[in-house]
Amino acid sequence: MSDLSTNVLTIIAEIYIRPEHQDAVLGAVAACVIASRLEPSNISYDCKRDQNDPQHLVFIEQWESLDALLIHEKTAHFLAMKETFTAGLERPLTVTLLEPCPRMA
């Protein structure tokens, strides 16, 4: 029996929204979060706002594999969100791919 938790890919992504694009970006983010949670290979998908900077959002995602993430990045809801990022972000999106630490998995 394989342990799914050792194969899970965790993503931390951060964005900083331009204030004048906040409504468009937040709407696209909300739609993407809802749809992403329905994807069969998604384990969890959440977006949180920085308490000290309301323009700073942090995504915390878990996927069954890197292949699952790559499929997610081709979905209509992800591409629609990404499109709002073109004009709506103050700086480029940052993404960190995480894996279990040895001896801690």
Side-chain angles (χ1 to χ4, degrees):
M1 182 170 152
S2 70
D3 180 6
L4 179 62
S5 66
T6 60
N7 298 321
V8 169
L9 179 65
T10 300
I11 311 295
I12 305 295
E14 297 184 61
I15 62 171
Y16 290 84
I17 305 169
R18 292 181 190 276
E20 66 272 19
H21 293 276
Q22 181 170 310
D23 289 343
V25 172
L26 290 177
V29 166
C32 187
V33 168
I34 291 166
S36 297
R37 289 176 177 165
L38 299 175
E39 292 181 49
S41 59
N42 177 256
I43 298 166
S44 67
Y45 198 103
D46 208 357
C47 183
K48 302 291 186 188
R49 180 179 265 178
D50 184 335
Q51 291 183 0
N52 297 313
D53 181 355
Q55 304 311 119
H56 178 205
L57 301 183
V58 179
F59 294 81
I60 304 110
E61 311 169 27
Q62 288 191 308
W63 297 92
E64 289 181 359
S65 66
L66 180 58
D67 287 340
L69 174 64
L70 296 175
I71 291 167
H72 163 69
E73 290 178 346
K74 294 177 184 173
T75 62
H77 52 271
F78 178 84
L79 294 173
M81 180 180 68
K82 185 178 173 183
E83 180 64 29
T84 67
F85 290 176
T86 302
L89 299 188
E90 288 187 347
R91 56 182 98 159
L93 165 79
T94 62
V95 177
T96 304
L97 304 178
L98 303 172
E99 61 186 19
C101 293
R103 299 186 185 179
M104 292 182 217

